[in-house]
């Protein structure tokens, strides 16, 4: 497994992964599939923030991606980032997610991030994600109920947080 920064040339491959989850699951609250431009814009926005956007490659094939992005817009939140990670469906269940999350946090610390927040759908689809964050040292810090609606269901979120602070 190798990691490298995402580039605009990866947008189509990342789109294939993300749109699959938009269309088939509640793990993302997006309802409409993204375009290649949407994904390229996300890569550019994360890069402009100075935050990591990485892709995971196995045997030369892109199998997943992860990034840190703005948690809340107001400036005092600038040292806190929200994390996102997705694997190609056939790459799940092999431990890649944990390695990718660890690498993302390592790069986040270098970029000056103090706190990482994961906002995870509280649905059966997202049980592996909650378990993954738990194993990576994220603490469950809160829960909100019925804040999203997708596939005719009300969905809550679990908030998990990890501190990268060294002191
Ligand atoms: C979440 C995700 C990144 C995890 O990566 P992964 O490499 O598949 O993770 P792992 O194989 O280490 O599995 C994570 C844990 O969930 C557990 N798990 C998997 N499916 C499960 C299920 N249906 N019920 C309970 N636990 C489950 C695994 O056993 C593992 O725990 P363990 O190590 O204690 O056995 C990946 O599954 C994924 O891309 N999921 C879809 C997108 C997503 O949910 N992204 C996160 C949005 S917040």
């Amino acid at each position: 497994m190798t990691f490298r920064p995402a580039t605009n040339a990866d947008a189509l491959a990342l789109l294939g992964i993300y749109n699959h989850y938009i269309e088939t699951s509640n793990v993302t609250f997006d309802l409409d599939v993204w375009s290649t431009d949407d994904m390229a814009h996300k890569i550019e926005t994360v890069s402009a923030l100075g935050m990591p956007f990485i892709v995971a490659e196995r045997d030369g094939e892109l199998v997943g991606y992860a990034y840190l992005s703005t948690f809340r817009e107001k400036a005092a939140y600038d040292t806190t980032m929200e994390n996102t990670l997705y694997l190609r469906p056939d790459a799940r269940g092999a431990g890649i997610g944990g390695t990718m999350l660890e690498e993302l946090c390592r790069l986040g610390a270098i970029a000056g991030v103090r706190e990482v927040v994961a906002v995870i759908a509280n649905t059966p689809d997202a049980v592996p994600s909650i378990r993954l964050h738990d194993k990576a040292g994220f603490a469950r810090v809160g829960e909100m109920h019925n804040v999203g609606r997708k596939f005719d269901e009300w969905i809550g979120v679990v908030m998990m947080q990890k501190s990268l602070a060294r002191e």
Side-chain angles (χ1 to χ4, degrees):
M1 185 60 46
T2 55
F3 298 104
R4 62 167 175 79
T7 71
N8 277 359
D10 297 314
L12 194 59
L14 303 189
L15 196 67
I17 297 174
Y18 189 49
N19 282 345
H20 165 79
Y21 291 107
I22 294 177
E23 290 183 305
T24 62
S25 83
N26 285 333
V27 296
T28 166
F29 278 20
D30 268 320
L31 300 177
D32 300 320
V33 291
W34 282 23
S35 67
T36 318
D37 281 352
D38 293 332
M39 189 57 86
H41 180 66
K42 179 58 80 176
I43 295 168
E44 279 156 22
T45 308
V46 170
S47 160
L49 267 179
M51 288 299 141
F53 193 138
I54 55 174
V55 299
E57 287 180 322
R58 189 176 56 186
D59 301 329
E61 272 190 44
L62 196 158
V63 291
Y65 68 93
Y67 60 84
L68 294 176
S69 59
T70 302
F71 168 60
R72 302 267 288 168
E73 292 289 342
K74 291 181 179 149
Y77 284 112
D78 281 357
T79 50
T80 298
M81 291 286 144
E82 183 172 339
N83 74 310
T84 295
L85 76 167
Y86 286 91
L87 292 181
R88 219 171 63 182
D90 64 344
R92 295 177 64 179
I96 298 171
T99 319
M100 192 160 70
L101 186 52
E102 191 182 339
E103 176 67 0
L104 189 69
C105 289
R106 189 185 72 80
L107 294 171
I110 292 169
V113 176
R114 184 189 166 99
E115 303 297 320
V116 181
V117 176
V119 182
I120 306 173
N122 198 2
T123 67
D125 287 349
V127 168
S129 178
I130 293 172
R131 175 80 191 122
L132 181 86
H133 284 84
D134 188 37
K135 280 199 304 178
F138 284 66
R140 193 169 170 139
V141 291
E143 194 169 334
M144 292 191 286
H145 304 284
N146 303 325
V147 288
R149 187 159 177 86
K150 188 169 179 183
F151 301 141
D152 287 330
E153 271 179 46
W154 293 108
I155 312 160
V157 290
V158 172
M159 321 281 294
M160 299 186 76
Q161 178 175 353
K162 179 175 174 138
S163 182
L164 306 182
R166 292 207 182 84
E167 69 276 349

